[in-house]
Amino acid sequence: MITRPEVLAPAGDMECLNSALSFGADAVFLAGKMFGMRSASKNFDNTQLKQACELAHAKGAKLYVTCNTLPRNNELDFLPDYLSYAQECGVDAFIIADLGVFEAAKKYAPKVARHISTQAGVTNYATANVLYNMGASRVVLAREIPLDEIAQMRAKIPKDLEIECFVHGAMCVSFSGRCLISSYMTGRDANHGDCAQPCRWKYHLFEENREGQYFPVEEHSDGTYLYNSRDLCMIEHIPELVKAGVSSLKIEGRAKSAYYTAVTTNAYRHAVDGFMTNGENYVLEPWIKEELDKISHREYNTGFYFGKEPGQVTGNGGYIRHYDVVAVCEKSIDDTTTEITQRNKFLVGDTLDVLPPSGIPFNVKCVSLTDEYGNSVDAAPHPMQKLTMKSDVKIPDGSVIRKKKI
């Protein structure tokens, strides 16, 4: 029997959380102000954590809190109160890498499920079974495990031990997450969420007697990006993931925007629902795949799932970006009139791409724009400006409005 997999979305702040919930996440993972491996994100203070739990549960979604750093001795004194408070807030699970934290969670937050982070490097059924016997309800597998090995693991672990796997987003060159390059080069500890991402930097050779002369490691006009991993995208392979026994499809991106969260969550929501409805007759609708090209990303690949190396993008370190978010619909006044908040420049007469809360995109034409003083304007050049827009198609409240880059 095939079990419907969970769509698990990232949230680095409250705006991202709302995007994840609005676009169909079954569960959201986020961090408090301590013990979470994304210090670049705003994350959630104690008050926000409680609010996040309430919002998620009101939508019928679960909330998981990352406690996946590898804490030092001087941090452990803060752990009991943090875990206890998270339990009071109603969090559904902790995502944990460290065995000391794992035991502390059992003691100070016994009502909260414990998931094993990808940072723990689980690569086989023996380890998964040991962790299950210790009290883990889920293992987040190391990213280098191919699908056939996941299926083998599923067959050799208890049925109620869930398997979570990453399906989309950035991939670390140190695939099980124990990278020390940032610590060596900048003093910023990746295992405490402070990675400077030196794997994305451009590298050249320098010969000490030829001061000022730099030589690319490979012959590219823009240098060589030695460790720059491609981005993972498994949107075309939902059936294979489900059949292998994956319980939760995890989208990477707690340091990314609310727009990224909305688009990725929406795409995987529709792909999962489509497969669960149609089974063996399932065919991915083209618009779902196209949506994932409307966010900033590096070249996509399928990671290690099919037994190949994902490879590196050595010619550049930048993102592919085909669309800009130009506005957000705050309120639909009637079938042609919408109150919007501008995000990037666009013009009267432009054809715009709308992602509504239903998740199925459509195009509209900007017929006219009026500023907050009632003046007609030809363009929207000021970020966060409030405008009234007339269009040829109704735009629902909460829609994200985009424009294709020329």
Side-chain angles (χ1 to χ4, degrees):
M1 179 180 176
I2 291 179
T3 302
R4 177 184 290 271
E6 171 186 85
V7 175
L8 177 55
D13 57 26
M14 198 64 76
E15 185 182 9
C16 292
L17 173 69
N18 284 319
S19 287
L21 297 174
S22 295
F23 284 90
D26 295 307
V28 180
F29 68 105
L30 52 80
K33 293 295 186 179
M34 299 183 70
F35 305 109
M37 284 193 63
R38 285 296 183 274
S39 63
S41 307
K42 291 181 181 178
N43 296 319
F44 292 73
D45 62 25
N46 284 356
T47 300
Q48 292 171 326
L49 183 59
K50 185 173 179 60
Q51 292 172 345
C53 285
E54 292 170 352
L55 286 170
H57 294 161
K59 287 275 192 176
K62 294 182 177 180
L63 193 95
Y64 308 147
V65 171
T66 59
C67 295
N68 57 346
T69 60
L70 305 177
R72 306 288 174 81
N73 292 331
N74 62 341
E75 298 172 85
L76 293 178
D77 288 344
F78 300 99
L79 189 59
D81 287 346
Y82 179 79
L83 296 171
S84 297
Y85 179 77
Q87 178 175 269
E88 290 175 17
C89 290
V91 303
D92 295 284
F94 296 121
I95 303 172
I96 300 171
D98 181 85
L99 289 179
V101 176
F102 188 80
E103 281 298 297
K106 178 181 179 180
K107 180 178 181 180
Y108 297 106
K111 297 178 183 178
V112 180
R114 290 174 291 168
H115 297 174
I116 299 298
S117 170
T118 191
Q119 293 293 110
V122 177
T123 61
N124 60 71
Y125 64 83
T127 300
N129 282 326
V130 168
L131 293 165
Y132 174 79
N133 290 333
M134 293 173 63
S137 62
R138 178 182 294 188
V139 288
V140 187
L141 298 186
R143 300 193 198 196
E144 58 266 31
I145 307 304
L147 277 172
D148 59 350
E149 292 187 26
I150 295 173
Q152 292 169 10
M153 186 182 298
R154 178 72 274 169
K156 292 178 179 290
I157 63 175
K159 291 182 179 179
D160 59 340
L161 177 58
E162 298 175 336
I163 293 175
E164 179 179 305
C165 293
F166 282 91
V167 296
H168 197 93
M171 297 184 70
C172 179
V173 71
S174 180
F175 289 100
S176 288
R178 297 297 185 106
C179 185
L180 290 174
I181 299 175
S182 180
S183 296
Y184 274 107
M185 298 187 71
T186 69
R188 289 171 53 178
D189 188 349
N191 295 316
H192 277 68
D194 202 25
C195 186
Q197 294 197 339
C199 59
R200 309 294 186 186
W201 297 350
K202 180 168 63 175
Y203 291 90
H204 290 75
L205 288 173
F206 171 66
E207 203 283 317
E208 64 177 346
N209 295 316
R210 292 176 172 81
E211 185 175 351
Q213 295 184 42
Y214 297 89
F215 305 93
V217 179
E218 294 182 13
E219 294 298 328
H220 292 288
S221 61
D222 193 35
T224 297
Y225 298 78
L226 292 177
Y227 312 112
N228 187 30
S229 298
R230 291 181 171 89
D231 280 0
L232 177 65
C233 179
M234 288 292 286
I235 196 68
E236 295 181 89
H237 303 285
I238 301 300
E240 295 98 313
L241 288 159
V242 176
K243 291 174 184 178
V246 178
S247 314
S248 179
L249 309 179
K250 187 170 194 171
I251 300 166
E252 181 276 336
R254 282 191 292 121
K256 295 181 179 177
S257 68
Y259 172 62
Y260 168 93
T261 301
V263 171
T264 53
T265 303
N266 180 63
Y268 283 89
R269 171 80 281 142
H270 279 273
V272 167
D273 290 350
F275 172 65
M276 296 307 297
T277 299
N278 297 292
E280 295 300 327
N281 297 319
Y282 170 71
V283 177
L284 182 71
E285 295 182 68
W287 72 263
I288 298 176
K289 183 180 178 182
E290 290 167 5
E291 277 295 294
L292 296 175
D293 284 327
K294 296 177 183 179
I295 53 175
S296 295
H297 63 278
R298 298 179 180 89
E299 293 178 21
Y300 284 136
N301 78 106
T302 55
F304 291 94
Y305 281 113
F306 297 100
K308 297 180 180 179
E309 300 284 339
Q312 315 297 311
V313 180
T314 58
N316 67 81
Y319 283 93
I320 300 166
R321 183 176 171 181
H322 298 304
Y323 282 75
D324 287 324
V325 176
V326 296
V328 174
C329 174
E330 304 293 350
K331 182 181 179 181
S332 179
I333 298 173
D334 57 39
D335 287 348
T336 61
T337 311
T338 306
E339 293 180 358
I340 63 171
T341 301
Q342 188 263 15
R343 298 294 175 90
N344 280 290
K345 184 177 180 179
F346 67 100
L347 309 173
V348 171
D350 281 346
T351 296
L352 304 174
D353 183 304
V354 177
L355 180 63
S358 69
I360 301 176
F362 61 90
N363 288 338
V364 302
K365 182 176 181 179
C366 177
V367 176
S368 68
L369 290 169
T370 306
D371 66 19
E372 58 265 52
Y373 306 108
N375 302 312
S376 295
V377 293
D378 295 326
H382 306 300
M384 303 308 293
Q385 183 179 15
K386 302 294 184 182
L387 297 159
T388 300
M389 181 175 78
K390 283 193 174 293
S391 58
D392 58 343
V393 178
K394 184 176 182 177
I395 303 175
D397 295 1
S399 296
V400 180
I401 304 172
R402 308 168 289 195
K403 180 181 176 182
K404 189 171 184 178
K405 296 170 70 73
I406 299 175

